[in-house]
Amino acid sequence: MRTSEKIIEGLLWLSAAITILVTAGIIWVLLSETVAFFSEVSIMSFLTDTEWTPLFAVKRFGILPLVAGTFLTTAIAIAVALPIGLTIAIYLNEYANASFRAVVKPLLEILATIPTVVYGFFALTVVTPFLQQIIPGLAGFNALSAGMVMGIMIIPMISSLSEDAISAVPKSLREAAYGMGSTRLQTAFGVMVPAASSGILVSIILAISRAVGETMLVAIAAGQQPRLTLNPLVPIETMTTYIVQVSLGDVPHGSLEYRTIFAVGITLFVFTFALNNISFWIKKKYQEKYD
Amino acid sequence: MKNKKNKLEAIGLNAYYGDFLALKNISVAMEENQVTAFIGPSGCGKSTFLRTLNRMNDYIDGFRVEGEILLDEQDIYRKEVRVDELRKQVGMVFQKPNPFPKTIYENVVYGLKIQGIKDKELLMETAENTLRQTTLWEEVKDKLHKSALALSGGQQQRLCIARALAISPSVLLMDEPTSALDPISTAKIEELIYELKKNYTIVIVTHNMQQAGRISDHTAFFYMGELVEFAKTKTLFTSPKDTRTQNYITGRFG
Amino acid sequence: MTNSDRNRLKDKAFQVFGVFCTFIGLAVLAIFLIDILIDGLGRINWEFLNNLPSRRAHRAGIYTAWIGTLWILLLTTVIAFPLGISAGIYLEEYAKKSRMATILEINIANLAGVPSIIYGLLGLEIFVRLMALGGSLLAGALTLSLLILPIVIVTTREAIKAVPRSIREGSFALGASKWQTVWHQVLPASFGGILTGVILAMSRAVGEAAPLIVIGALAYVPFAPASPMDEFTVLPIQIFNWISRPQAAFATNAAAAIIVLLLITFILNGIAVYLRHKWQKRIKW
C-alpha cells in the first residue's frame, strides 16, 4: 500500500515536472538555434539594422521593422480595447444591475472564444473595405484594420479582469464616497478605479502580451511586408507573421533562413516573458496590500 | 471504577504550530469504555489535543509534537505506526456534519471499501448494523441509495457517526459534534453517546458545559494550551480545585 | 448651471457611453456573425463537407480539414487530459507551500502567457525533428497538448480547491490514504469543474492554426488522415489558406468553413457552460 502510494505520488510529481521541461525546452530550442544564427549575423546589425530581408537576394537582418509592425498593431489594439474594456468594467460594476451583468458578461466572453483566423477574415473582408470608404489611401493589408479588430478581440480580457479588480475593492470605500455626496462617476474615477489600479494595470499588461503574440489575425490582415514605419495605413509585418510566412514556404532545415524564425521567436518570447513577469510582480504586491 | 484500563494516555505532550506552542506538557489518561470530555474557551487547545489522538494534524504544515500518546500502551507517534491503521482504531466525528457527496450507503461502507472489502452482503450487513446502532435505520432504510446531502443536519451527523463505527474502531473522537445541531438532534446524539460507551472509548470536545455534565464520566479543563484540571466530571463541576476552572464553569469568562 | 447639475450631467453622459461601449463589442460580434452567415451559409452542403480540397473553389471541400480537426481534438485531449489533471492534483493536494510548488506555479503561469506560435517552434524542433515525427497528427497533437496544459492544470486546481477540507478530513479519519481520498472523494466531487476546464481547453485547441503551421501542417492534404502518423490539415489552416487566395469564390469557401469551425467552438463552449452551471447547482456544501 505504502509503495503504491509513493509510486502514484511520483507519477503525479512527474506530470507537474513536465511543465518545467516545457519551459526548459522552449528556452533551449530558441537559444540553440539563435546562437547558431548569431554566429553568422552580428547581434548589432540584428538589433539596429532598419531592414529585414532574409528571404531576398540581398539579405538584411534588422529586427526593427518586425518589432515596429508588432508595436503598431499592438498599440492600435490597446487604443481600442483599453477605453472600451475599462468603460465596460466600470459600467458593469457601478451602473448596471445584476441581471444585466449576468447576461452581458458571458456574451462578451464569446468574443474571446472565437478563433483568431476568423477575426482575420473579418478584418480583411469587412473592416478594411469599410475603412477604405472613409480613408481613401488605405491599403488592402494594413495595421489599422488588423489592430482595431484585435482590439475588439481583447476587450473581454481587459473588461473582465478589470471588473474583477474593481469588484474586489471593499464596499465600504464606495459607500464612503457616496456618503460624501459623490456621483457614481466621481465615485468610479475618484475612488474605485484608483483603488483597483494595480489590478487594472495587470489586465492591460496581459492584454498587451496577448496582442504581441497574436498571429493569425495579423498574418491575414496586416500584410507580409516588413517595414520600419508607424503608418497604420500601409502593409507591415509583425514578428509572428514572419514566422508563419517562413513556415509556409520551403526553407531547408539548418539554413540561415530557418534560423531566423528562432531569432525572431526569441525576441517575441523575451517581450511576452517580460510583460507576464511584470504583471505577476504587480499582482503579488497588490495581493499583499489587501490581505 | 479504579480498575478500568487506560485506553489512551498522553504523557508530557507538547504540540507546536511552527514556533507557537499550542499544547504545554499535557499528561492525561482516558479510561476504556468511558466518556472523557474536554472543555475550555475557544483557542485553549482542546481541539488540537483531540486531533493529536488520531494524528489528524499531520497534514498541517509546521505542526509537530513532543512527548507520547499511548493507545493500548503503544505510542502512536512511533515511526513505524501507519496513520491509516491508527485511524481504523481511532474513529472521528467532526464539528460540522461532513457526509461525502455520495449516497447514504456509500457513506457508511466507504471505510470498508477502501480497505478492499468487496463482499456485498458483508457491506450491506455492516451498513444496516451501524445505521441501527445510530438509530438512523428506520429513517433512511428506504433511501439508502439517495444522496446523503439530502438528510437533515442531525441525520447527517448520525450518519457520520455510523460511518465511523462501520470500521469498528475502539475509540471514538468527537469534536463538538452537536455544535451545529438543533436541541432535538443534540439530545439524540447525546443518547447515542451514552449507548455507545458500552462498546467504545469516547473522547468528546464540547463548548457546552451542561453537555459535558450530562454525558461524560471525566472532564478535562483546558486553558491557554494547558491542562488545568482533570477529574471525575461530578467532582470537577462541584468542587473545582483551580480558580481558573472555577471561573470558567461559573461563567466568569469563556 | 450649478456645479452639482454639471456633475449629474457628466454622470448621465458616462452612463450613455457605458451602454454604448458594452454594446459596441456585441454589435460587432453580431455584424460579424451575420456577415459570415450571409457569405457562407449558401455554400454549405453535403459536397462541401465531403469533398477533398481542390484548386477549383466550387469543387473544394473541407473533408480532410474537419477529419484532421477531429483527430487533433481527440489526440490532444487524450494526451493533455491525464497529464494536466495529474499535475493539478499534485500541485493542489501534495505539494502545497513547498519551494518546488512555488517554482512550478510561477512556471505554469508563465507558460500560459507564452504565445502559441512559440509552442510551434518548440514542436518543430522537438517533435518534428528530434523525435522524427514529421508534420504528423501526433506531432501536432503533442504541440497543442503542451499549449493547453497550463489551462487544464489551472482549472483542475480551481476545481479541486473548491472541495471543502472537511470532506478530506472525513475520509482521512476513516483510515483512507492520501491517494484514496483524492481518488474516491476529491476527484468525483470536482469532476464537473475539471471537465469544464478540459472542454474550454479543447475549444482553444480547435481554433489554433499558428503552431500547427509552424510544425508543418499543410493546407493541401489529398487524403483524410487515417492514423496518428499521417500528414494532416485542420479547419483553421484550411480557412487561412482560402482567405489568402485572391478569388472571391475562395472567400465564400472560407466563410462556409468558418461557420463549421464556429459551430464546433460554440458547441464545446456551450457544453462547458452547461456543465459548470449544472455542477454548481448539484453540489452545495
Side-chain angles (χ1 to χ4, degrees):
Chain A
M1 200 63 149
R2 214 166 237 190
T3 30
S4 69
E5 288 276 326
K6 282 272 171 246
I7 291 169
I8 288 169
E9 183 170 348
L11 287 174
L12 295 175
W13 176 84
L14 206 64
S15 310
I18 281 180
T19 59
I20 301 268
L21 281 184
V22 175
T23 306
I26 289 173
I27 293 171
W28 177 72
V29 161
L30 292 178
L31 269 183
S32 60
E33 292 288 345
T34 304
V35 166
F37 173 77
F38 282 128
S39 68
E40 293 179 60
V41 176
S42 88
I43 296 186
M44 266 319 272
S45 74
F46 180 73
L47 293 177
T48 58
D49 199 329
T50 56
E51 275 188 67
W52 178 260
T53 56
L55 306 176
F56 292 178
V58 182
K59 297 184 192 314
R60 303 275 296 273
F61 298 96
I63 189 82
L64 286 177
L66 296 181
V67 172
T70 297
F71 173 79
L72 192 56
T73 50
T74 301
I76 295 168
I78 296 300
V80 170
L82 178 58
I84 296 179
L86 192 54
T87 305
I88 291 174
I90 294 168
Y91 178 76
L92 289 183
N93 239 297
E94 304 295 312
Y95 290 80
N97 59 36
S99 54
F100 182 79
R101 231 188 344 253
V103 175
V104 166
K105 273 191 88 169
L107 281 178
L108 282 172
E109 303 279 336
I110 295 179
L111 287 172
T113 66
I114 294 175
T116 61
V117 272
V118 181
Y119 278 106
F121 179 83
F122 185 55
L124 187 69
T125 63
V126 179
V127 177
T128 297
F130 174 74
L131 288 176
Q132 275 170 332
Q133 290 172 0
I134 307 168
I135 311 167
L138 189 66
F141 297 106
N142 60 78
L144 182 63
S145 149
M148 283 172 67
V149 173
M150 184 147 62
I152 301 280
M153 181 176 89
I154 58 179
I155 284 174
M157 264 189 97
I158 293 189
S159 69
S160 57
L161 287 177
S162 297
E163 209 217 316
D164 292 346
I166 295 174
S167 60
V169 176
K171 265 208 184 75
S172 55
L173 267 178
R174 176 190 296 139
E175 281 157 6
Y178 282 141
M180 290 187 295
S182 309
T183 63
R184 288 176 294 188
L185 185 66
Q186 286 167 328
T187 309
F189 283 97
V191 178
M192 303 306 279
V193 170
S197 57
S198 47
I200 293 170
L201 199 57
V202 166
S203 81
I204 298 167
I205 292 170
L206 289 178
I208 294 173
S209 163
R210 176 86 169 71
V212 166
E214 174 46 41
T215 306
M216 296 316 291
L217 204 177
V218 286
I220 290 169
Q224 303 190 346
Q225 297 177 26
R227 70 176 87 197
L228 187 53
T229 177
L230 290 179
N231 179 359
L233 307 180
V234 294
I236 47 101
E237 182 163 51
T238 66
M239 293 187 271
T240 51
T241 303
Y242 176 74
I243 299 175
V244 167
Q245 187 192 359
V246 172
S247 301
L248 286 170
D250 248 341
V251 174
H253 168 69
S255 65
L256 186 59
E257 288 86 346
Y258 177 85
R259 284 178 181 143
T260 56
I261 62 175
F262 291 89
V264 173
I266 207 167
T267 313
L268 179 64
F269 181 77
V270 166
F271 273 109
T272 55
F273 185 82
L275 287 167
N276 293 335
N277 280 287
I278 292 170
S279 79
F280 296 149
W281 182 74
I282 296 172
K283 209 188 304 186
K284 218 177 147 208
K285 280 197 84 163
Y286 160 77
Q287 274 169 347
E288 279 162 8
K289 202 173 79 184
Y290 271 104
D291 280 345
Chain B
M1 291 249 181
K2 267 193 188 120
N3 45 12
K4 286 255 180 209
K5 177 186 154 212
N6 285 341
K7 184 71 185 173
L8 267 169
E9 188 172 3
I11 300 169
L13 188 83
N14 291 322
Y16 300 84
Y17 292 110
D19 295 331
F20 175 68
L21 181 57
L23 291 173
K24 298 168 196 162
N25 194 20
I26 309 285
S27 295
V28 62
M30 287 143 269
E31 290 176 3
E32 191 161 34
N33 296 349
Q34 296 274 292
V35 177
T36 305
F38 296 166
I39 61 169
S42 300
C44 67
K46 58 189 191 297
S47 282
T48 301
F49 182 52
L50 187 78
R51 292 165 65 94
T52 60
L53 300 180
N54 69 342
R55 295 184 51 177
M56 209 60 190
N57 285 332
D58 283 16
Y59 296 103
I60 296 174
D61 284 320
F63 183 84
R64 66 197 164 83
V65 295
E66 296 162 359
E68 288 183 319
I69 295 207
L70 308 182
L71 172 69
D72 295 324
E73 288 159 8
Q74 296 283 320
D75 184 9
I76 63 170
Y77 279 92
R78 276 172 303 145
K79 253 213 164 108
E80 63 270 25
V81 171
R82 290 181 44 175
V83 284
D84 45 349
E85 294 296 337
L86 166 70
R87 291 180 189 145
K88 284 170 198 163
Q89 290 180 62
V90 184
M92 188 168 200
V93 176
F94 297 83
Q95 186 170 3
K96 242 183 94 200
N98 58 347
F100 303 130
K102 294 171 182 278
T103 66
I104 293 169
Y105 172 77
E106 288 292 336
N107 265 277
V108 181
V109 301
Y110 178 73
L112 295 175
K113 275 198 169 171
I114 56 170
Q115 290 177 27
I117 295 168
K118 290 196 180 85
D119 181 351
K120 285 236 164 69
E121 261 171 59
L122 177 66
L123 291 175
M124 193 60 210
E125 203 183 296
T126 316
E128 181 173 343
N129 282 341
T130 51
L131 287 170
R132 278 190 195 283
Q133 254 185 299
T134 52
T135 67
L136 204 57
W137 177 251
E138 290 302 322
E139 293 160 58
V140 302
K141 67 178 177 193
D142 298 325
K143 45 182 177 183
L144 286 179
H145 298 287
K146 296 262 161 62
S147 170
L149 297 178
L151 296 174
S152 75
Q155 288 175 323
Q156 287 188 359
Q157 193 63 302
R158 279 184 285 150
L159 176 64
C160 290
I161 296 174
R163 185 173 77 180
L165 298 182
I167 51 171
S168 33
S170 53
V171 178
L172 200 55
L173 308 177
M174 302 180 119
D175 190 357
E176 301 191 37
T178 62
S179 66
L181 304 180
D182 62 85
I184 296 171
S185 303
T186 301
K188 276 193 182 155
I189 302 251
E190 287 184 9
E191 272 169 45
L192 183 58
I193 291 171
Y194 192 77
E195 283 299 313
L196 291 175
K197 118 183 173 179
K198 290 173 194 157
N199 301 310
Y200 305 90
T201 304
I202 295 175
V203 186
I204 180 169
V205 165
T206 177
H207 239 91
N208 180 330
M209 278 178 285
Q210 284 78 18
Q211 183 171 64
R214 284 194 298 271
I215 60 173
S216 69
D217 302 295
H218 292 87
T219 297
F221 172 64
F222 285 81
Y223 186 64
M224 299 192 44
E226 281 177 61
L227 175 60
V228 175
E229 195 164 347
F230 177 68
K232 281 199 172 157
T233 301
K234 238 183 225 157
T235 319
L236 188 112
F237 278 101
T238 49
S239 48
K241 293 202 182 70
D242 195 290
T243 48
R244 288 170 295 179
T245 317
Q246 196 173 4
N247 287 341
Y248 183 71
I249 61 179
T250 53
R252 249 169 257 170
F253 68 92
Chain C
M1 206 158 62
T2 67
N3 211 347
S4 128
D5 283 340
R6 219 168 323 168
N7 283 337
R8 215 165 304 155
L9 198 69
K10 276 190 207 158
D11 191 56
K12 275 276 165 234
F14 183 80
Q15 185 169 11
V16 173
F17 185 60
V19 176
F20 171 76
C21 285
T22 309
F23 282 104
I24 198 165
L26 299 180
V28 169
L29 181 67
I31 291 172
F32 170 38
L33 291 178
I34 292 166
D35 177 69
I36 296 271
L37 285 175
I38 291 172
D39 286 356
L41 205 54
R43 182 69 183 84
I44 296 183
N45 53 34
W46 192 246
E47 281 77 44
F48 184 68
L49 296 177
N50 274 295
N51 277 3
L52 298 173
S54 164
R55 269 178 299 136
R56 263 160 293 189
H58 68 277
R59 280 179 49 194
I62 56 169
Y63 184 68
T64 51
W66 72 259
I67 296 281
T69 289
L70 287 191
W71 265 107
I72 282 286
L73 207 51
L74 183 80
L75 290 174
T76 305
T77 309
V78 167
I79 298 164
F81 190 97
L83 214 54
I85 293 174
S86 304
I89 293 171
Y90 180 78
L91 288 172
E92 205 52 41
E93 295 287 328
Y94 287 81
K96 274 201 158 171
K97 281 183 184 167
S98 69
R99 212 182 140 71
M100 175 75 177
T102 316
I103 294 172
L104 282 168
E105 201 161 325
I106 294 172
N107 180 53
I108 289 165
N110 248 319
L111 284 178
V114 173
S116 62
I117 198 156
I118 301 285
Y119 283 93
L121 294 175
L122 176 71
L124 174 63
E125 286 282 276
I126 303 291
F127 303 130
V128 177
R129 311 210 62 89
L130 208 64
M131 290 167 65
L133 297 174
S136 65
L137 276 169
L138 188 58
L142 284 166
T143 305
L144 290 188
S145 297
L146 299 186
L147 172 70
I148 64 168
L149 201 55
I151 309 176
V152 180
I153 294 174
V154 168
T155 46
T156 299
R157 293 190 63 180
E158 295 292 321
I160 290 179
K161 215 181 276 182
V163 177
R165 222 170 73 124
S166 65
I167 294 294
R168 295 182 179 82
E169 292 198 329
S171 178
F172 289 139
L174 292 170
S177 66
K178 196 148 196 170
W179 174 246
Q180 285 174 325
T181 300
V182 168
W183 183 251
H184 292 290
Q185 300 297 344
V186 176
L187 279 184
S190 55
F191 188 68
I194 294 175
L195 202 59
T196 305
V198 169
I199 294 171
L200 286 179
M202 284 165 70
S203 103
R204 166 88 195 273
V206 114
E208 281 294 344
L212 297 180
I213 290 174
V214 175
I215 68 146
L218 304 164
Y220 180 76
V221 181
F223 301 105
S227 91
M229 293 314 293
D230 287 351
E231 288 189 326
F232 71 104
T233 190
V234 289
L235 276 170
I237 295 180
Q238 182 64 69
I239 292 165
F240 173 58
N241 176 266
W242 279 336
I243 294 173
S244 316
R245 299 193 190 195
Q247 301 93 324
F250 279 111
T252 307
N253 281 359
I258 283 174
I259 294 174
V260 177
L261 179 62
L262 284 181
L263 209 62
I264 298 176
T265 314
F266 289 161
I267 288 172
L268 285 172
N269 277 283
I271 295 172
V273 170
Y274 170 76
L275 279 176
R276 180 157 46 193
H277 194 69
K278 191 180 140 198
W279 231 267
Q280 273 171 354
K281 260 194 191 159
R282 225 195 70 179
I283 294 184
K284 283 198 201 98
W285 304 107

